[in-house]
């Protein structure tokens, strides 16, 4: 971690501290919302149009599989964003990495909205689409840790859960906004116009993320916990330099290198915690992307349900998360993160089979019921997750450790989930195979949560 001028003691007043806290939490929530919006519009487009436009093939299933594979590529890129931004964010600060992530996302999303199709430029179209999706993945991998820490490290004592939930709200806000924009684009264009250019409009809205990046850069301060960690490190380095001068030049240089590398610290001493965090969360992110992307494809392509109606159900269900996520986070501040988190994971496991039995009826009402109950359990788990992951690591390696855990879950769960769902449906012919996939991930989650709980009790 660098010792920059910001390591000087803070002289701000309580009123300034409160203003900075509100500004930091608001900026983190907005950053999360616009970043996830940009990320989710790709998933919706992959389910609706990208297969035909960029991956022409002999069957609709093959085109959807290709577009979902491109969707998954973004998840494979997310750990790289988490590693790079985490390492630099633990050394240079949370804010610069968040600004960089937002800028990269804005450029990539706008690029997708302007990208010519396969019919226009041939094989270059899918190659460029994959490249831009990788950029989106790197950006969102870098963003989550920065936004999460901007909120939780500004949180008052005893309120880290609720402050962390402001960032988690970015996901349902992003889903609601992405679905709303697609619904509007579909409502004001014909089927042919939507396929030709209407689907591009939601991507071009991504330009707004660049405005937010500029605002955070100009008006939001670095988090107090990071500044405190800088000051502590500066003092430690001064003491070590004094000891080195007494003991002889060159002695102890190797230890400095390891200490100043957050990534090396995490990989050497905390990799088990990273994998436990990832294992605990994979079921949440997998089920979430099955609901917003896989189910959209399944209901419209296999069950012949109306696209607009299914998008409306997804939008309404996501709205309920705006209440449930902060409620579960606030409850975790009172009775503990692990208890609430584990309850959500168990609920997902128990509801996996009933959910698809309801979806398979082809009824909008039962689709809404099935996805709503699943969304409740996802929210119960997702609310305290930011604070839980932040508390697994100390400030000097928190960005790196929390980001790695989150992005491992994203790769194992979210990135592959829609692809796996289509593959399972094609090979088994039954949605119960998708339920079994969710239950398997839930068992891994509950095992990981049990180990994390045991470790917490032993401490």
């Amino acid at each position: 971690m660098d010792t920059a001028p910001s390591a000087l003691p803070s002289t701000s007043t309580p009123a300034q501290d409160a203003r900075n806290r509100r500004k930091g939490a608001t900026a983190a929530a907005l950053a999360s919302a616009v970043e996830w919006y940009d990320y989710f519009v790709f998933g919706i487009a992959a389910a609706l149009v990208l297969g035909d436009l960029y991956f022409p093939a002999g069957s609709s299933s093959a085109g959807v599989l290709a577009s979902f594979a491109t969707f998954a590529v973004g998840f494979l890129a997310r750990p790289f964003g988490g590693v790079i931004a985490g390492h630099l964010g633990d050394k240079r600060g949370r804010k610069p990495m968040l600004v960089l992530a937002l800028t990269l996302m804005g450029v990539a999303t706008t690029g997708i909205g302007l990208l010519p199709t396969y019919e226009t430029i041939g094989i270059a179209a899918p190659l460029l689409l994959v490249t831009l999706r990788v950029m989106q993945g790197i950006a969102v991998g870098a963003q989550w840790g920065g936004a999460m820490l901007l909120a939780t490290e500004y949180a008052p004592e005893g309120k880290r859960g609720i402050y962390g939930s402001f960032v988690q709200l970015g996901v349902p806000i992003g889903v609601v906004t992405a679905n709303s924009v697609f619904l509007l684009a579909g409502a004001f264009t014909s089927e042919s116009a939507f396929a030709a250019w209407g689907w591009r409009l939601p991507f071009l809205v991504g330009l707004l993320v660049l405005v937010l990046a500029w605002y955070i850069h100009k008006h939001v301060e670095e988090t107090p916990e990071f500044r405190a960690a800088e000051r502590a490190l500066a003092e430690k380095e001064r003491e070590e330099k004094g000891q080195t001068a007494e003991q002889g030049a060159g002695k102890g240089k190797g230890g400095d290198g390891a200490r100043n590398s957050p990534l090396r610290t995490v990989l050497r001493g905390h990799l088990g915690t990273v994998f436990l965090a990832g294992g605990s969360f994979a079921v949440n992110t997998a089920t979430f992307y099955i609901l917003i992307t896989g189910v959209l494809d399944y209901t419209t392509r296999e069950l012949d349900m109306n696209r607009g109606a299914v998008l409306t159900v997804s939008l309404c269900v996501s709205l309920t998360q705006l209440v449930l996520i902060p409620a579960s986070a606030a409850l975790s501040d009172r009775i503990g993160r692990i208890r609430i988190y584990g309850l959500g994971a168990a609920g997902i496991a128990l509801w996996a089979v009933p959910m698809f039995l309801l979806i398979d009826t082809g009824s909008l009402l039962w689709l809404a019921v099935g996805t709503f109950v699943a969304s409740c359990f996802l929210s119960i788990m997702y609310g305290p997750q930011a604070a839980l992951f932040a508390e697994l690591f100390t400030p000097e390696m928190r960005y790196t450790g929390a980001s790695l855990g989150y992005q491992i879950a994203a790769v194992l769960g979210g990135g592959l989930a829609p692809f796996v769902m289509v593959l399972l449906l094609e090979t088994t012919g039954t949605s119960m195979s998708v339920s079994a996939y969710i239950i398997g991930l839930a068992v891994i989650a509950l095992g990981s949560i049990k180990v994390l709980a045991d470790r917490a009790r032993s401490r």
Side-chain angles (χ1 to χ4, degrees):
M1 190 181 295
D2 283 356
T3 53
S6 60
L8 295 174
S10 173
T11 58
S12 59
T13 65
Q16 289 173 324
D17 287 340
R19 185 165 56 250
N20 288 337
R21 185 181 298 125
R22 288 193 300 271
K23 191 182 294 183
T26 302
L30 288 174
S32 178
V34 297
E35 189 96 346
W36 285 116
Y37 164 83
D38 283 4
Y39 200 66
F40 289 146
V41 292
F42 191 100
I44 296 172
L48 297 178
V49 296
L50 294 186
D52 293 334
L53 296 176
Y54 291 93
F55 304 96
S59 72
S60 59
S61 296
V64 171
L65 280 171
S67 64
F68 278 166
T70 306
F71 180 68
V73 164
F75 287 83
L76 295 176
R78 281 171 59 167
F80 294 99
V83 167
I84 296 168
H87 180 74
L88 294 175
D90 282 329
K91 290 175 70 68
R92 305 285 179 181
R94 309 345 186 173
K95 187 181 84 169
M97 293 303 102
L98 181 57
V99 170
L100 181 61
L102 290 169
T103 303
L104 183 61
M105 179 62 86
V107 170
T109 304
T110 305
I112 293 172
L114 298 173
L115 185 64
T117 64
Y118 186 95
E119 184 179 2
T120 305
I121 60 173
I123 192 64
L127 292 177
L128 288 171
L129 183 66
V130 170
T131 301
L132 292 169
R133 182 59 178 171
V134 167
M135 290 173 60
Q136 279 194 320
I138 291 172
V140 82
Q143 172 272 144
W144 182 80
M148 179 270 290
L149 293 180
L150 195 64
T152 58
E153 291 187 348
Y154 262 117
E157 184 71 25
K159 293 187 177 180
R160 180 171 275 168
I162 189 65
Y163 269 67
S165 73
F166 296 156
V167 175
Q168 308 298 72
L169 285 175
V171 172
I173 291 172
V175 172
V176 168
T177 309
N179 278 300
S180 299
V181 174
F182 264 99
L183 281 169
L184 288 172
F188 288 99
T189 59
S190 64
E191 286 289 334
S192 59
F194 181 83
W197 56 268
W199 67 270
R200 298 181 183 275
L201 298 178
F203 287 92
L204 298 180
V205 175
L207 281 169
L208 296 177
V209 75
L210 300 175
V211 177
L212 181 61
W214 173 85
Y215 174 84
I216 293 175
H217 173 68
K218 297 291 291 185
H219 299 288
V220 177
E221 294 188 10
E222 190 54 78
T223 70
E225 283 196 40
F226 179 79
R227 296 197 302 268
E230 280 188 311
R231 292 194 294 271
L233 181 57
E235 180 62 30
K236 187 174 182 180
E237 287 182 343
R238 281 194 293 269
E239 293 175 359
E240 289 182 354
K241 285 179 181 177
Q243 293 173 0
T244 301
E246 294 176 2
Q247 296 171 1
K251 193 172 182 180
K253 287 183 179 178
D256 271 355
R259 177 173 51 80
N260 285 328
S261 173
L263 177 59
R264 189 180 304 175
T265 301
V266 169
L267 294 179
R268 284 185 172 181
H270 303 272
L271 194 57
T273 303
V274 167
F275 281 115
L276 287 171
S280 74
F281 193 62
V283 65
N284 185 289
T285 188
T287 307
F288 174 77
Y289 283 101
I290 284 173
L291 290 181
I292 69 162
T293 300
V295 168
L296 176 60
D297 168 66
Y298 177 58
T299 53
T300 55
R301 185 168 57 87
E302 298 289 342
L303 303 181
D304 294 322
M305 297 178 71
N306 180 266
R307 181 188 68 199
V310 174
L311 282 172
T312 301
V313 168
S314 178
L315 186 153
C316 293
V317 168
S318 295
L319 285 172
T320 64
Q321 293 183 310
L322 299 178
V323 176
L324 292 171
I325 286 175
S328 64
L331 190 60
S332 79
D333 282 331
R334 297 174 62 86
I335 67 174
R337 319 272 183 236
I338 291 288
R339 189 174 300 175
I340 300 300
Y341 194 65
L343 176 64
I348 293 171
L350 294 173
W351 189 246
V353 170
M355 177 178 72
F356 271 101
L357 290 175
L358 293 174
I359 291 172
D360 284 344
T361 64
S363 162
L364 275 177
L365 174 62
W366 292 122
L367 169 68
V369 172
T371 54
F372 168 72
V373 175
S375 178
C376 289
F377 289 123
L378 291 178
S379 300
I380 290 170
M381 194 177 182
Y382 198 57
Q385 184 252 342
L388 174 65
F389 278 30
E391 290 166 353
L392 293 175
F393 305 94
T394 53
E396 65 274 8
M397 60 176 171
R398 183 173 287 157
Y399 201 142
T400 303
S403 291
L404 272 176
Y406 188 93
Q407 302 313 333
I408 286 172
V411 172
L412 297 178
L416 295 175
F419 183 87
V420 170
M421 178 176 173
V422 174
L423 204 59
L424 287 172
L425 290 170
E426 287 292 311
T427 55
T428 67
T430 173
S431 62
M432 290 300 99
S433 59
V434 185
S435 297
Y437 169 59
I438 293 172
I439 292 170
L441 290 175
V443 170
I444 295 172
L446 290 169
S448 300
I449 292 168
K450 175 67 164 56
V451 175
L452 289 173
D454 290 344
R455 287 185 175 185
R457 279 192 292 270
S458 68
R459 289 195 298 270

